[in-house]
Amino acid sequence: MNLTVAALIGLIALIVCIFLGMNIGIAMVAVGFVGYATIKGFPAAISLFKNVPFTNASNYSLVVVPLFILMGQFAYKSGLSAGLFNAADKWLSGLRGGLAYATIIACAGFAAICGSTNATAATMGVIAMPEMKKAGYDDSISAASIAAGGTLGILIPPSTSFIIYGIIAEVSIGRLFAAGIIPGIILALCYCMAVLIRIKRNPALAPDTKKYSMKEKTASLKGVIGILVLFLAVIGGMFAGFFSAVEASAIGATLGFVSLIMNKRLTWQNIKESLVESA
């Protein structure tokens, strides 16, 4: 069979399997196996099937992905993400729609210690959505702020997308992280600008928020310290050349665990949930 024809048939088969509801990973494996067996023969396909999954799963460099996600889970369970949101909320309380801005800023901050878009959106959704509902925000602006802010995990280091790309393309993960910081900040500001425009056009989306005193604002900064320490220790240490990306992820997960202890949140339930969510 012509390779081009086989590739087209395989692509169509993959799309059909996905639309039928098959798990994407299983669909890719099945189509790839059948296609390779058709072209190279069944014994060759079986040989490939035995070797490739193990080779990729045992790739030492890929351990950086679950460890960074685990760091984010520990940070969430220890209350660091809630402290970050609380600080952003208080400092932006003078603005109409302050909770929406706070959500986006908190998403950017949490992405800086997590690296996962899904984990960022899920975590901030649990923290921010109830607060916005309680304050009387429209669900559309609340959900949009969380969904948009969650995508910042793609750019702001430690981005798991950058990690996987760096491993596959064999380029410096540290340099990719450095390249993502400024665009990530600009994107967060663009999201805030979009919220501002929406609220200007329809003030009913976001009610006036409660104003806080300078003493309360200053006190809320304590909640940012843990996130700042994690980011500077992990990303700063990596940029300074003290350790590699894999070592940085292990240090980050360890510091996340330490934050559980320091915030008195170290329970078997929190550890179990963190591990399950990371997996």
Side-chain angles (χ1 to χ4, degrees):
M1 182 185 292
N2 182 282
L3 291 178
T4 303
V5 175
L8 288 173
I9 293 173
L11 183 60
I12 293 169
L14 177 62
I15 293 171
V16 169
C17 289
I18 292 172
F19 272 96
L20 288 174
M22 184 181 290
N23 178 280
I24 294 175
I26 295 173
M28 292 175 72
V29 170
V31 171
F33 179 81
V34 172
Y36 197 80
T38 302
I39 296 167
K40 295 290 186 179
F42 188 75
I46 286 291
S47 177
L48 197 70
F49 190 69
K50 287 190 296 183
N51 297 326
V52 172
F54 176 79
T55 302
N56 283 285
S58 60
N59 187 335
Y60 171 72
S61 299
L62 286 175
V63 75
V64 69
V65 176
L67 283 177
F68 271 133
I69 294 175
L70 181 61
M71 176 177 72
Q73 287 297 320
F74 282 154
Y76 168 55
K77 294 297 181 183
S78 65
L80 295 184
S81 53
L84 177 65
F85 176 76
N86 179 57
D89 172 32
K90 283 184 168 53
W91 281 91
L92 296 169
S93 60
L95 302 173
R96 191 181 190 94
L99 277 176
Y101 301 129
T103 299
I104 293 170
I105 300 301
C107 281
F110 188 74
I113 59 162
C114 176
S116 168
T117 294
N118 293 339
T120 301
T123 300
M124 297 315 301
V126 171
I127 296 170
M129 196 68 181
E131 293 297 321
M132 296 174 89
K133 275 183 172 292
K134 192 189 303 180
Y137 279 68
D138 189 270
D139 284 348
S140 64
I141 199 75
S142 303
S145 300
I146 295 166
T151 64
L152 294 169
I154 294 174
L155 282 174
I156 297 178
S159 165
T160 53
S161 302
F162 280 171
I163 293 167
I164 294 171
Y165 175 81
I167 293 169
I168 294 172
E170 297 182 356
V171 297
S172 169
I173 294 175
R175 293 181 70 181
L176 288 172
F177 281 175
I181 294 175
I182 300 301
I185 293 172
I186 292 173
L187 187 60
L189 293 175
C190 287
Y191 288 154
C192 289
M193 187 63 68
V195 170
L196 175 63
I197 293 170
R198 288 280 289 131
I199 293 174
K200 285 286 185 183
R201 293 179 62 184
N202 185 5
L205 291 174
D208 288 329
T209 54
K210 178 183 176 183
K211 292 180 174 60
Y212 296 91
S213 66
M214 183 53 69
K215 183 179 179 180
E216 289 175 302
K217 290 180 179 180
T218 305
S220 71
L221 291 177
K222 292 180 182 178
V224 182
I225 294 174
I227 295 283
L228 197 59
V229 169
L230 267 179
F231 182 79
L232 291 177
V234 175
I235 306 302
M238 192 166 54
F239 285 166
F242 294 142
F243 35 74
S244 66
V246 176
E247 291 164 342
S249 66
I251 289 169
T254 303
L255 290 176
F257 184 79
V258 170
S259 70
L260 277 176
I261 299 173
M262 294 184 67
N263 291 327
K264 299 178 181 179
R265 300 283 186 89
L266 183 62
T267 63
W268 284 115
Q269 184 66 20
N270 281 341
I271 293 173
K272 176 185 174 183
E273 289 178 0
S274 296
L275 292 172
V276 170
E277 289 295 323
S278 298

